Amino acid sequence: MLKAAVIGVGSMGRNHARVYRELEGVELVGVADQNGPTAAKVGATFAAPHYTDYQQLVEDCKPDLVTLAVPTVLHYEVACDLIERGIHVMVEKPITSTLEEGEKLVELARRKGVILAVGHIERFNPAIMERRRRLREGMAGRIYKIHAQRLSPYPARIRDAGVVIDLASHDIDLLRYLMDEPITRLYGETLKSINSDREDMFNGLIRFKGGAVGVLDVNWITPTKIRAMTVTGARGMFRCDLLSQELFFYENETAPSQWDVLSTLRGVSEGNVLGIRINRHEPLAAELGDFVGAVRDNRAPTVTGEEGLETLRIALEFVRSGKDIEVIEPEREFA
Ligand SMILES: NC(=O)c1ccc[n+]([C@@H]2O[C@H](COP(=O)([O-])OP(=O)(O)OC[C@H]3O[C@@H](n4cnc5c(N)ncnc54)[C@H](O)[C@@H]3O)[C@@H](O)[C@H]2O)c1
C-alpha cells in the first residue's frame, strides 16, 4: 500500500482526496488545509485524519506521495519542502507562479530522485486520449489548425493568477501534447475587463514548426462554460467537447488518399460525420492512477515537471506578448 495525502483541500484538492480513497493499492493517510473547518469537513467525509498544519501531517502520517492543491503562489514553497523530505509530489497546475521557481523545483526533484507530476488533467480526458490516438494514426492527415476554446464565468476564488496562467495553461499543454512539435512563434492579445491587475480575456496564436497554426480563445467573461477543441487536417476535422467527452470527425470528401498522410489539400467538401465512441472515465482518476503507477514503477509520469515548466514558459511569454504587444520568436524554440 502506498500512503497518500492531500495538502490544500479546497475546491480541487477535495477531489484528489476522494479519488485517492478509491484507488487500489493506495491509502489516504491524511488531509491538510490551513482552514480548520475545511480540513475537518474533508477529513470527516473521507475518514482521514485532518490537519491545519501540513508539516504536522507529514510528520505524523509519513506519506509516500502527496497532491499539492494549495493556491498557485504557494506551490513552490510547499513542494520544495515535500521534495526535500523525499516525498513524491503531484502539484496542481500551473507548476509554479514563476519560471525561476519552476526551474528550481524541477532541478530539486531531479536531484532528490523524487517524482514530480503536474496536474494537467485534460491529457487524461478520454475524448482527448482517443483523438490523440487517431491523430497519431493519421486519420485527419496533415494537420493545418488546432483551435481551443475555454470560456467561463468569472471565478472569484482565483486571486493569484490571470486567465492565461490559470486557465489557458490547460490548452497550451494540450496543444503541445497533441501536436508534439516545437513552437517557433507566438502572439497573444489580452484584456483586463473585470480586474485591473490581471488579464481575464486572452486570444493567442501559435505557429508550430511543421507549419500548423494553434488558436487559443480563453476567458473568464462568458456567462456559460465552454470547453471545445477542433483539429483541422487535410482529411477532415475532429471536434471535441471536453465537458461531455464527445468526439466527432467530419470527413473531407475531397480528401487525399488514406495512405498519403502528408499530402496537401486538393479541395474541401462536406463528407460523412462520424460520432466516435468514447470509453468514458473520470480524468482525475486516470491522472492519479498514472501518478501512483509512476511512483510504484519508478518511471516518469505522463506530465513531468519539465513538461509543466515548458507550458508555464509559454504561458508567461503569452502574458508578455499581450503586455508589450510583441510577436515572440524565441531563440530556443518552445518544446
Ligand atoms: N487541474 C484543474 O483542472 C484545476 C482546477 C481548479 C484548480 N486547480 C489548481 O489547484 C490549486 C488550488 O485551486 P483551488 O481552486 O482548489 O483553490 P481553493 O482556494 O478552492 O483551495 C485551496 C485551498 O488551499 C488551502 N491552503 C492555502 N494555504 C495553505 C497552506 N499553507 N497549507 C494548507 N492549505 C492551504 C486553502 O485554505 C484552500 O482551502 C491551484 O493551483 C489551481 O490552479 C486545478
Side-chain angles (χ1 to χ4, degrees):
M1 280 298 240
L2 285 168
K3 292 197 256 175
V6 181
I7 298 175
V9 283
S11 88
M12 196 61 198
R14 69 189 59 187
N15 290 308
H16 285 251
R18 171 179 54 78
V19 170
Y20 279 130
R21 193 143 177 271
E22 291 162 2
L23 270 184
E24 250 177 64
V26 175
E27 184 192 359
L28 179 67
V29 292
V31 298
D33 198 293
Q34 71 172 16
N35 180 317
T38 298
K41 189 169 168 220
V42 176
T45 305
F46 301 117
H50 59 89
Y51 297 82
T52 48
D53 175 356
Y54 82 87
Q55 291 175 323
Q56 195 62 51
L57 174 150
V58 168
E59 270 153 42
D60 288 0
C61 306
K62 308 210 167 5
D64 302 300
L65 54 99
V66 160
T67 280
L68 186 54
V70 294
T72 301
V73 283
L74 298 173
H75 286 185
Y76 175 68
E77 177 192 324
V78 184
C80 280
D81 187 12
L82 297 170
I83 291 171
E84 285 285 3
R85 297 167 191 245
I87 298 171
H88 304 288
V89 177
M90 152 67 66
V91 61
E92 259 304 343
K93 52 62 36 190
I95 181 168
T96 47
S97 294
T98 71
L99 205 56
E100 297 70 31
E101 287 175 353
E103 283 166 352
K104 284 197 226 160
L105 195 62
V106 166
E107 177 50 31
L108 181 65
R110 200 180 294 140
R111 204 153 28 86
K112 288 278 175 185
V114 156
I115 287 170
L116 174 63
V118 186
H120 285 291
I121 192 167
E122 295 283 29
R123 288 199 193 193
F124 299 91
N125 186 314
I128 293 291
M129 291 165 81
E130 181 62 24
R131 178 163 60 186
R132 184 168 187 264
R133 192 179 68 72
R134 287 173 184 260
L135 285 171
R136 291 280 170 287
E137 285 175 354
M139 187 167 175
R142 180 174 171 186
I143 305 303
Y144 294 111
K145 187 183 146 193
I146 179 162
H147 183 169
Q149 242 190 342
R150 189 172 295 263
L151 317 178
S152 296
Y154 187 72
R157 71 175 196 283
I158 308 286
R159 299 193 185 283
D160 58 354
V163 79
V164 178
I165 306 294
D166 187 79
L167 205 58
S169 57
H170 282 297
D171 300 298
I172 294 168
D173 177 70
L174 277 188
L175 261 58
R176 293 182 51 240
Y177 186 55
L178 291 170
M179 292 303 296
D180 202 14
E181 260 181 39
I183 291 168
T184 55
R185 188 163 70 232
L186 59 80
Y187 177 64
E189 284 283 356
T190 53
L191 194 72
K192 294 171 183 168
S193 53
I194 297 166
N195 277 285
S196 55
D197 59 338
R198 56 207 167 95
E199 77 289 344
D200 42 34
M201 194 186 105
F202 165 59
N203 287 81
L205 279 174
I206 285 177
R207 188 76 181 205
F208 289 94
K209 194 162 189 165
V213 173
V215 182
L216 295 154
D217 178 13
V218 183
N219 70 51
W220 277 327
I221 57 161
T222 307
T224 187
K225 202 167 162 180
I226 294 174
R227 306 278 185 267
M229 191 180 268
T230 59
V231 181
T232 309
R235 303 190 61 232
M237 180 185 82
F238 282 106
R239 180 171 67 81
C240 175
D241 185 321
L242 283 75
L243 291 175
S244 60
Q245 303 187 346
E246 285 176 300
L247 180 62
F248 297 92
F249 186 67
Y250 297 73
E251 278 176 12
N252 171 12
E253 214 168 39
T254 328
S257 107
Q258 183 179 357
W259 313 111
D260 191 4
V261 292
L262 288 177
S263 68
T264 47
L265 210 51
R266 288 194 304 263
V268 181
S269 59
E270 283 187 50
N272 292 322
V273 180
L274 178 68
I276 296 171
R277 198 167 70 81
I278 302 293
N279 292 319
R280 295 202 169 84
H281 61 241
E282 184 183 3
L284 186 59
E287 177 183 81
L288 295 184
D290 177 74
F291 172 51
V292 167
V295 170
R296 190 170 286 133
D297 304 340
N298 194 25
R299 61 160 170 84
T302 296
V303 190
T304 59
E306 286 83 352
E307 294 251 18
L309 186 59
E310 196 63 6
T311 289
L312 177 67
R313 187 175 159 233
I314 294 169
L316 289 167
E317 287 296 302
F318 265 129
V319 174
R320 182 163 78 84
S321 171
K323 260 194 202 129
D324 299 349
I325 315 176
E326 191 188 328
V327 175
I328 312 279
E329 294 189 285
E331 271 175 36
R332 170 172 84 70
E333 289 164 352
F334 301 110

